[in-house]
Amino acid sequence: MKFASYVLEARYLIDKIKNDKNFVNYFFYDYREGCYNIGPICEIIISCLKRSYGCDVYSNEDIGTFLYVKLWDNGTWHNLDTYREEYGFFTWLFKVAYNLMIKKAEEIGYFKTKRKLTPGNTRLLLKKYSPERCEMYLDELMPQGKHLEILKHIYVNRTSANEIVKKMQLADVNEFKSLRLLAENHLKAILLDSGDNYEEILITEKSPRCVVWHPDYDRLMDEHCVDNSLDNPIGDVVGVWLSDAEVEKEAGVFLSKFVHFLKWNETDICVILERCKGTSPESLAKKLGRRRDWVDTRYSRLKKKFLKAFDLWINHFERTHKK
């Protein structure tokens, strides 16, 4: 039930940050052990900056303040809405905070910035992803038009240049190349201007900075942000406090029964159940005779559909009982 637990945790934390001022205060500035706060993140960022760049000028309070201001966003907390549920909340928060502190260090001169990221000095990494995942990104980011059409031919359908010339009724390959350049620059401009972390997924600097991840990052996050928290999102939501083993057992029984009421085929059910049981994407892909990226994409879409249905169910329940 790894997916269910980290999504519930993320939703719980985002709601608390937006609506509970006392929680915000200790989350960003109180670094006691045994409760939700950004203390471990700050320690890892300070260590990474020192090891990567010899930069040892920030304190936990500095990082907390910069991160708070960015997420607070003049009282709107809009930047919290860029969280994507394929990441654990603290993993996402670490990436946001780390990139933010790199940017701040560059602004005050601790790092020398070679050049600003632009469509001209970045490149797309779409080819490394499956057609299904490319289609998902393009549909989410690009407006309708010729630019979207040609990018789908290239990255989703994997069509050759000559075939695209015929399909789009272009004059020749030179026009194809010109249109492709314009379309890719259009996409990169959207990515660079977005508040999301798409740049880490789809584009990269031609001469990227060396980012060193702390070797104990996963262990520190698991120990501090899950096992040792004072808060219990499941208990707060449903009023039942269970151990991890009990949650896994009860949730497994629920899913086994519930999925059979959904309009999912046997493969979809297998993807959900096996991933929730903790089966690795690689093992599941081998079992299904699929590629790893297909499993990731399918699982992502199924869980989003499930959560959307769950939200509608809750909203319907609320409307019914208000009458």
PDB file of all heavy atoms in Angstrom, residues 186-212:
ATOM      1  N   HIS A 186       8.740  25.875 -28.922  1.00  0.00           N
ATOM      2  CA  HIS A 186       7.464  26.244 -28.282  1.00  0.00           C
ATOM      3  C   HIS A 186       7.267  25.426 -27.003  1.00  0.00           C
ATOM      4  O   HIS A 186       6.940  25.966 -25.939  1.00  0.00           O
ATOM      5  CB  HIS A 186       6.318  26.004 -29.278  1.00  0.00           C
ATOM      6  CG  HIS A 186       4.987  26.465 -28.773  1.00  0.00           C
ATOM      7  ND1 HIS A 186       3.822  26.286 -29.500  1.00  0.00           N
ATOM      8  CD2 HIS A 186       4.613  27.065 -27.611  1.00  0.00           C
ATOM      9  CE1 HIS A 186       2.804  26.778 -28.807  1.00  0.00           C
ATOM     10  NE2 HIS A 186       3.257  27.258 -27.666  1.00  0.00           N
ATOM     11  N   LEU A 187       7.483  24.126 -27.091  1.00  0.00           N
ATOM     12  CA  LEU A 187       7.330  23.251 -25.932  1.00  0.00           C
ATOM     13  C   LEU A 187       8.342  23.605 -24.846  1.00  0.00           C
ATOM     14  O   LEU A 187       8.002  23.675 -23.658  1.00  0.00           O
ATOM     15  CB  LEU A 187       7.495  21.794 -26.355  1.00  0.00           C
ATOM     16  CG  LEU A 187       7.473  20.748 -25.228  1.00  0.00           C
ATOM     17  CD1 LEU A 187       6.183  20.839 -24.427  1.00  0.00           C
ATOM     18  CD2 LEU A 187       7.647  19.351 -25.805  1.00  0.00           C
ATOM     19  N   LYS A 188       9.584  23.831 -25.228  1.00  0.00           N
ATOM     20  CA  LYS A 188      10.611  24.157 -24.240  1.00  0.00           C
ATOM     21  C   LYS A 188      10.310  25.476 -23.537  1.00  0.00           C
ATOM     22  O   LYS A 188      10.547  25.624 -22.339  1.00  0.00           O
ATOM     23  CB  LYS A 188      11.993  24.185 -24.904  1.00  0.00           C
ATOM     24  CG  LYS A 188      12.507  22.789 -25.249  1.00  0.00           C
ATOM     25  CD  LYS A 188      13.965  22.798 -25.668  1.00  0.00           C
ATOM     26  CE  LYS A 188      14.155  23.247 -27.081  1.00  0.00           C
ATOM     27  NZ  LYS A 188      15.568  23.089 -27.536  1.00  0.00           N
ATOM     28  N   ALA A 189       9.776  26.445 -24.291  1.00  0.00           N
ATOM     29  CA  ALA A 189       9.408  27.733 -23.681  1.00  0.00           C
ATOM     30  C   ALA A 189       8.306  27.543 -22.637  1.00  0.00           C
ATOM     31  O   ALA A 189       8.330  28.150 -21.563  1.00  0.00           O
ATOM     32  CB  ALA A 189       8.945  28.710 -24.761  1.00  0.00           C
ATOM     33  N   ILE A 190       7.337  26.670 -22.946  1.00  0.00           N
ATOM     34  CA  ILE A 190       6.271  26.373 -21.986  1.00  0.00           C
ATOM     35  C   ILE A 190       6.853  25.728 -20.729  1.00  0.00           C
ATOM     36  O   ILE A 190       6.488  26.071 -19.598  1.00  0.00           O
ATOM     37  CB  ILE A 190       5.213  25.454 -22.627  1.00  0.00           C
ATOM     38  CG1 ILE A 190       4.440  26.210 -23.718  1.00  0.00           C
ATOM     39  CG2 ILE A 190       4.240  24.916 -21.571  1.00  0.00           C
ATOM     40  CD1 ILE A 190       3.492  25.340 -24.516  1.00  0.00           C
ATOM     41  N   LEU A 191       7.775  24.803 -20.918  1.00  0.00           N
ATOM     42  CA  LEU A 191       8.401  24.118 -19.789  1.00  0.00           C
ATOM     43  C   LEU A 191       9.197  25.076 -18.915  1.00  0.00           C
ATOM     44  O   LEU A 191       9.120  25.036 -17.691  1.00  0.00           O
ATOM     45  CB  LEU A 191       9.317  23.004 -20.299  1.00  0.00           C
ATOM     46  CG  LEU A 191       8.627  21.845 -21.018  1.00  0.00           C
ATOM     47  CD1 LEU A 191       9.654  20.964 -21.697  1.00  0.00           C
ATOM     48  CD2 LEU A 191       7.797  21.038 -20.047  1.00  0.00           C
ATOM     49  N   LEU A 192       9.958  25.962 -19.550  1.00  0.00           N
ATOM     50  CA  LEU A 192      10.794  26.898 -18.808  1.00  0.00           C
ATOM     51  C   LEU A 192       9.963  27.908 -18.036  1.00  0.00           C
ATOM     52  O   LEU A 192      10.368  28.378 -16.970  1.00  0.00           O
ATOM     53  CB  LEU A 192      11.748  27.616 -19.765  1.00  0.00           C
ATOM     54  CG  LEU A 192      12.877  26.765 -20.345  1.00  0.00           C
ATOM     55  CD1 LEU A 192      13.546  27.478 -21.513  1.00  0.00           C
ATOM     56  CD2 LEU A 192      13.902  26.434 -19.276  1.00  0.00           C
ATOM     57  N   ASP A 193       8.790  28.244 -18.565  1.00  0.00           N
ATOM     58  CA  ASP A 193       7.929  29.234 -17.908  1.00  0.00           C
ATOM     59  C   ASP A 193       7.008  28.627 -16.861  1.00  0.00           C
ATOM     60  O   ASP A 193       6.380  29.352 -16.088  1.00  0.00           O
ATOM     61  CB  ASP A 193       7.067  29.960 -18.952  1.00  0.00           C
ATOM     62  CG  ASP A 193       7.891  30.889 -19.842  1.00  0.00           C
ATOM     63  OD1 ASP A 193       9.001  31.259 -19.410  1.00  0.00           O
ATOM     64  OD2 ASP A 193       7.437  31.209 -20.948  1.00  0.00           O
ATOM     65  N   SER A 194       6.896  27.297 -16.850  1.00  0.00           N
ATOM     66  CA  SER A 194       5.949  26.656 -15.933  1.00  0.00           C
ATOM     67  C   SER A 194       6.489  26.654 -14.520  1.00  0.00           C
ATOM     68  O   SER A 194       7.680  26.740 -14.280  1.00  0.00           O
ATOM     69  CB  SER A 194       5.667  25.209 -16.379  1.00  0.00           C
ATOM     70  OG  SER A 194       6.763  24.383 -16.083  1.00  0.00           O
ATOM     71  N   GLY A 195       5.581  26.546 -13.564  1.00  0.00           N
ATOM     72  CA  GLY A 195       5.987  26.461 -12.168  1.00  0.00           C
ATOM     73  C   GLY A 195       6.282  25.041 -11.742  1.00  0.00           C
ATOM     74  O   GLY A 195       6.714  24.794 -10.617  1.00  0.00           O
ATOM     75  N   ASP A 196       6.044  24.075 -12.632  1.00  0.00           N
ATOM     76  CA  ASP A 196       6.268  22.675 -12.295  1.00  0.00           C
ATOM     77  C   ASP A 196       7.736  22.306 -12.493  1.00  0.00           C
ATOM     78  O   ASP A 196       8.517  23.090 -13.019  1.00  0.00           O
ATOM     79  CB  ASP A 196       5.403  21.759 -13.176  1.00  0.00           C
ATOM     80  CG  ASP A 196       3.933  21.912 -12.844  1.00  0.00           C
ATOM     81  OD1 ASP A 196       3.630  22.355 -11.720  1.00  0.00           O
ATOM     82  OD2 ASP A 196       3.105  21.586 -13.701  1.00  0.00           O
ATOM     83  N   ASN A 197       8.062  21.080 -12.106  1.00  0.00           N
ATOM     84  CA  ASN A 197       9.429  20.597 -12.270  1.00  0.00           C
ATOM     85  C   ASN A 197       9.607  19.802 -13.554  1.00  0.00           C
ATOM     86  O   ASN A 197      10.326  18.823 -13.602  1.00  0.00           O
ATOM     87  CB  ASN A 197       9.839  19.732 -11.069  1.00  0.00           C
ATOM     88  CG  ASN A 197      10.102  20.573  -9.844  1.00  0.00           C
ATOM     89  OD1 ASN A 197      10.544  21.705  -9.945  1.00  0.00           O
ATOM     90  ND2 ASN A 197       9.819  20.026  -8.680  1.00  0.00           N
ATOM     91  N   TYR A 198       8.912  20.223 -14.618  1.00  0.00           N
ATOM     92  CA  TYR A 198       9.045  19.522 -15.888  1.00  0.00           C
ATOM     93  C   TYR A 198      10.469  19.566 -16.414  1.00  0.00           C
ATOM     94  O   TYR A 198      10.896  18.683 -17.134  1.00  0.00           O
ATOM     95  CB  TYR A 198       8.121  20.153 -16.927  1.00  0.00           C
ATOM     96  CG  TYR A 198       6.660  19.858 -16.732  1.00  0.00           C
ATOM     97  CD1 TYR A 198       5.759  20.873 -16.489  1.00  0.00           C
ATOM     98  CD2 TYR A 198       6.187  18.554 -16.809  1.00  0.00           C
ATOM     99  CE1 TYR A 198       4.412  20.604 -16.317  1.00  0.00           C
ATOM    100  CE2 TYR A 198       4.843  18.279 -16.644  1.00  0.00           C
ATOM    101  CZ  TYR A 198       3.947  19.310 -16.404  1.00  0.00           C
ATOM    102  OH  TYR A 198       2.628  19.031 -16.237  1.00  0.00           O
ATOM    103  N   GLU A 199      11.204  20.636 -16.053  1.00  0.00           N
ATOM    104  CA  GLU A 199      12.557  20.752 -16.582  1.00  0.00           C
ATOM    105  C   GLU A 199      13.436  19.589 -16.149  1.00  0.00           C
ATOM    106  O   GLU A 199      14.356  19.200 -16.859  1.00  0.00           O
ATOM    107  CB  GLU A 199      13.187  22.081 -16.162  1.00  0.00           C
ATOM    108  CG  GLU A 199      13.436  22.248 -14.669  1.00  0.00           C
ATOM    109  CD  GLU A 199      12.263  22.865 -13.969  1.00  0.00           C
ATOM    110  OE1 GLU A 199      11.149  22.789 -14.511  1.00  0.00           O
ATOM    111  OE2 GLU A 199      12.448  23.419 -12.868  1.00  0.00           O
ATOM    112  N   GLU A 200      13.139  19.006 -14.996  1.00  0.00           N
ATOM    113  CA  GLU A 200      13.931  17.873 -14.552  1.00  0.00           C
ATOM    114  C   GLU A 200      13.562  16.596 -15.293  1.00  0.00           C
ATOM    115  O   GLU A 200      14.316  15.641 -15.322  1.00  0.00           O
ATOM    116  CB  GLU A 200      13.725  17.656 -13.044  1.00  0.00           C
ATOM    117  CG  GLU A 200      14.230  18.816 -12.205  1.00  0.00           C
ATOM    118  CD  GLU A 200      13.998  18.572 -10.728  1.00  0.00           C
ATOM    119  OE1 GLU A 200      13.459  17.513 -10.379  1.00  0.00           O
ATOM    120  OE2 GLU A 200      14.369  19.449  -9.935  1.00  0.00           O
ATOM    121  N   ILE A 201      12.375  16.582 -15.885  1.00  0.00           N
ATOM    122  CA  ILE A 201      11.885  15.376 -16.548  1.00  0.00           C
ATOM    123  C   ILE A 201      12.167  15.408 -18.045  1.00  0.00           C
ATOM    124  O   ILE A 201      12.525  14.388 -18.634  1.00  0.00           O
ATOM    125  CB  ILE A 201      10.361  15.228 -16.318  1.00  0.00           C
ATOM    126  CG1 ILE A 201      10.062  15.222 -14.811  1.00  0.00           C
ATOM    127  CG2 ILE A 201       9.823  13.961 -16.973  1.00  0.00           C
ATOM    128  CD1 ILE A 201       8.589  15.292 -14.499  1.00  0.00           C
ATOM    129  N   LEU A 202      12.004  16.557 -18.651  1.00  0.00           N
ATOM    130  CA  LEU A 202      12.009  16.605 -20.104  1.00  0.00           C
ATOM    131  C   LEU A 202      13.159  17.372 -20.743  1.00  0.00           C
ATOM    132  O   LEU A 202      13.482  17.124 -21.883  1.00  0.00           O
ATOM    133  CB  LEU A 202      10.686  17.234 -20.588  1.00  0.00           C
ATOM    134  CG  LEU A 202       9.423  16.459 -20.218  1.00  0.00           C
ATOM    135  CD1 LEU A 202       8.204  17.220 -20.671  1.00  0.00           C
ATOM    136  CD2 LEU A 202       9.440  15.088 -20.822  1.00  0.00           C
ATOM    137  N   ILE A 203      13.719  18.334 -20.048  1.00  0.00           N
ATOM    138  CA  ILE A 203      14.794  19.101 -20.671  1.00  0.00           C
ATOM    139  C   ILE A 203      15.968  19.200 -19.721  1.00  0.00           C
ATOM    140  O   ILE A 203      15.827  19.062 -18.514  1.00  0.00           O
ATOM    141  CB  ILE A 203      14.339  20.527 -21.075  1.00  0.00           C
ATOM    142  CG1 ILE A 203      13.885  21.319 -19.831  1.00  0.00           C
ATOM    143  CG2 ILE A 203      13.257  20.497 -22.108  1.00  0.00           C
ATOM    144  CD1 ILE A 203      13.534  22.746 -20.123  1.00  0.00           C
ATOM    145  N   THR A 204      17.135  19.433 -20.276  1.00  0.00           N
ATOM    146  CA  THR A 204      18.330  19.536 -19.445  1.00  0.00           C
ATOM    147  C   THR A 204      19.278  20.549 -20.062  1.00  0.00           C
ATOM    148  O   THR A 204      19.270  20.775 -21.265  1.00  0.00           O
ATOM    149  CB  THR A 204      19.037  18.165 -19.325  1.00  0.00           C
ATOM    150  OG1 THR A 204      20.135  18.302 -18.425  1.00  0.00           O
ATOM    151  CG2 THR A 204      19.558  17.681 -20.661  1.00  0.00           C
ATOM    152  N   GLU A 205      20.082  21.161 -19.238  1.00  0.00           N
ATOM    153  CA  GLU A 205      21.079  22.097 -19.724  1.00  0.00           C
ATOM    154  C   GLU A 205      22.147  21.331 -20.492  1.00  0.00           C
ATOM    155  O   GLU A 205      22.494  20.216 -20.136  1.00  0.00           O
ATOM    156  CB  GLU A 205      21.706  22.811 -18.515  1.00  0.00           C
ATOM    157  CG  GLU A 205      22.419  24.093 -18.885  1.00  0.00           C
ATOM    158  CD  GLU A 205      22.879  24.825 -17.631  1.00  0.00           C
ATOM    159  OE1 GLU A 205      22.611  24.348 -16.515  1.00  0.00           O
ATOM    160  OE2 GLU A 205      23.509  25.871 -17.797  1.00  0.00           O
ATOM    161  N   LYS A 206      22.675  21.924 -21.552  1.00  0.00           N
ATOM    162  CA  LYS A 206      23.707  21.241 -22.343  1.00  0.00           C
ATOM    163  C   LYS A 206      24.981  21.020 -21.520  1.00  0.00           C
ATOM    164  O   LYS A 206      25.693  20.051 -21.728  1.00  0.00           O
ATOM    165  CB  LYS A 206      24.007  22.050 -23.602  1.00  0.00           C
ATOM    166  CG  LYS A 206      22.876  21.994 -24.627  1.00  0.00           C
ATOM    167  CD  LYS A 206      23.201  22.779 -25.880  1.00  0.00           C
ATOM    168  CE  LYS A 206      22.068  22.668 -26.901  1.00  0.00           C
ATOM    169  NZ  LYS A 206      22.318  23.461 -28.114  1.00  0.00           N
ATOM    170  N   SER A 207      25.257  21.922 -20.599  1.00  0.00           N
ATOM    171  CA  SER A 207      26.393  21.745 -19.695  1.00  0.00           C
ATOM    172  C   SER A 207      25.848  21.779 -18.278  1.00  0.00           C
ATOM    173  O   SER A 207      25.956  22.781 -17.574  1.00  0.00           O
ATOM    174  CB  SER A 207      27.419  22.871 -19.898  1.00  0.00           C
ATOM    175  OG  SER A 207      27.892  22.877 -21.230  1.00  0.00           O
ATOM    176  N   PRO A 208      25.223  20.707 -17.842  1.00  0.00           N
ATOM    177  CA  PRO A 208      24.510  20.735 -16.568  1.00  0.00           C
ATOM    178  C   PRO A 208      25.432  20.826 -15.368  1.00  0.00           C
ATOM    179  O   PRO A 208      26.581  20.409 -15.418  1.00  0.00           O
ATOM    180  CB  PRO A 208      23.756  19.397 -16.568  1.00  0.00           C
ATOM    181  CG  PRO A 208      24.602  18.498 -17.396  1.00  0.00           C
ATOM    182  CD  PRO A 208      25.174  19.381 -18.473  1.00  0.00           C
ATOM    183  N   ARG A 209      24.887  21.407 -14.277  1.00  0.00           N
ATOM    184  CA  ARG A 209      25.601  21.411 -13.012  1.00  0.00           C
ATOM    185  C   ARG A 209      25.646  19.995 -12.471  1.00  0.00           C
ATOM    186  O   ARG A 209      24.779  19.186 -12.737  1.00  0.00           O
ATOM    187  CB  ARG A 209      24.890  22.316 -12.001  1.00  0.00           C
ATOM    188  CG  ARG A 209      24.884  23.785 -12.359  1.00  0.00           C
ATOM    189  CD  ARG A 209      24.266  24.577 -11.228  1.00  0.00           C
ATOM    190  NE  ARG A 209      22.858  24.244 -11.065  1.00  0.00           N
ATOM    191  CZ  ARG A 209      21.863  25.043 -11.431  1.00  0.00           C
ATOM    192  NH1 ARG A 209      22.126  26.202 -11.962  1.00  0.00           N
ATOM    193  NH2 ARG A 209      20.612  24.683 -11.236  1.00  0.00           N
ATOM    194  N   CYS A 210      26.651  19.698 -11.683  1.00  0.00           N
ATOM    195  CA  CYS A 210      26.747  18.399 -11.029  1.00  0.00           C
ATOM    196  C   CYS A 210      25.959  18.452  -9.734  1.00  0.00           C
ATOM    197  O   CYS A 210      26.282  19.222  -8.841  1.00  0.00           O
ATOM    198  CB  CYS A 210      28.204  18.047 -10.744  1.00  0.00           C
ATOM    199  SG  CYS A 210      28.397  16.498  -9.831  1.00  0.00           S
ATOM    200  N   VAL A 211      24.916  17.664  -9.649  1.00  0.00           N
ATOM    201  CA  VAL A 211      24.092  17.622  -8.441  1.00  0.00           C
ATOM    202  C   VAL A 211      24.403  16.333  -7.700  1.00  0.00           C
ATOM    203  O   VAL A 211      24.257  15.239  -8.241  1.00  0.00           O
ATOM    204  CB  VAL A 211      22.592  17.685  -8.785  1.00  0.00           C
ATOM    205  CG1 VAL A 211      21.751  17.545  -7.531  1.00  0.00           C
ATOM    206  CG2 VAL A 211      22.281  18.996  -9.499  1.00  0.00           C
ATOM    207  N   VAL A 212      24.847  16.445  -6.469  1.00  0.00           N
ATOM    208  CA  VAL A 212      25.191  15.278  -5.663  1.00  0.00           C
ATOM    209  C   VAL A 212      24.070  15.010  -4.679  1.00  0.00           C
ATOM    210  O   VAL A 212      23.719  15.870  -3.881  1.00  0.00           O
ATOM    211  CB  VAL A 212      26.509  15.498  -4.889  1.00  0.00           C
ATOM    212  CG1 VAL A 212      26.819  14.296  -4.006  1.00  0.00           C
ATOM    213  CG2 VAL A 212      27.644  15.761  -5.867  1.00  0.00           C
TER     214      VAL A 212
END
